[in-house]
Amino acid sequence: MDAIRSKFIENTLRDEGNRFIRNQGIAIKNALKSRTGNLIRNRKATVTGTGSNAQLHIEVPAYTRFLDIRNKFKRSRRGQSKRSSGRGLQIYNRFVMGHYYGLAERLQFGYTQETIDMIRSKWEGGFNG
């Protein structure tokens, strides 16, 4: 039973990592029309460890977080600052927190008897077939 549970955890983490990279990539392409492509290319999701010790690591360029921050002040030509109502690009925090809660829900409620049977049938099909 522990092998099935660890396979479920690893698969869930891998799926959520790929989903995060895909959804964030779509938002980046919409927010930044054409740039160097560094922000899209240098992102990856990896799962390390096994079983209940598995961890999902998502690597993004460090400046991604700064693009998400709203500019509170804008400088005018005369050097005076004005309050700005501009918004950040919403390409980091929105995805991190959204996927964090989705991942927690899938790990908490997704391990059902149907999931156990599906993983078991894939294993049996792999060994017999």
Side-chain angles (χ1 to χ4, degrees):
M1 190 61 100
D2 287 332
I4 293 175
R5 181 172 298 176
S6 32
K7 193 66 172 172
F8 167 73
I9 291 170
E10 291 170 20
N11 287 343
T12 303
L13 291 176
R14 191 171 294 108
D15 290 345
E16 284 294 322
N18 292 335
R19 190 172 144 248
F20 176 86
I21 294 295
R22 183 183 66 242
N23 289 343
Q24 187 187 38
I26 292 169
I28 289 171
K29 286 178 184 176
N30 290 337
L32 304 171
K33 298 302 177 199
S34 63
R35 302 287 177 154
T36 62
N38 185 39
L39 202 56
I40 297 281
R41 280 192 314 268
N42 295 331
R43 298 173 308 124
K44 65 180 177 178
T46 56
V47 177
T48 59
T50 58
S52 60
N53 294 329
Q55 296 178 352
L56 173 63
H57 296 278
I58 297 176
E59 295 179 24
V60 296
Y63 65 90
T64 305
R65 295 197 64 192
F66 295 109
L67 295 174
D68 213 26
I69 297 172
R70 179 178 77 133
N71 291 332
K72 289 185 180 178
F73 297 100
K74 268 190 173 174
R75 297 269 179 212
S76 68
R77 289 185 188 190
R78 298 181 188 191
Q80 300 150 342
S81 62
K82 295 180 178 179
R83 286 294 258 180
S84 172
S85 61
R87 296 176 60 177
L89 295 179
Q90 296 184 357
I91 58 175
Y92 183 78
N93 288 333
R94 183 177 84 172
F95 291 99
V96 169
M97 295 311 294
H99 283 271
Y100 173 77
Y101 289 122
L103 178 61
E105 184 177 339
R106 278 186 66 186
L107 288 174
Q108 187 175 8
F109 300 115
Y111 190 68
T112 60
Q113 188 61 40
E114 291 177 11
T115 307
I116 294 169
D117 294 339
M118 182 184 67
I119 293 172
R120 187 176 287 142
S121 68
K122 283 183 180 180
W123 278 358
E124 289 171 357
F127 292 133
N128 295 334

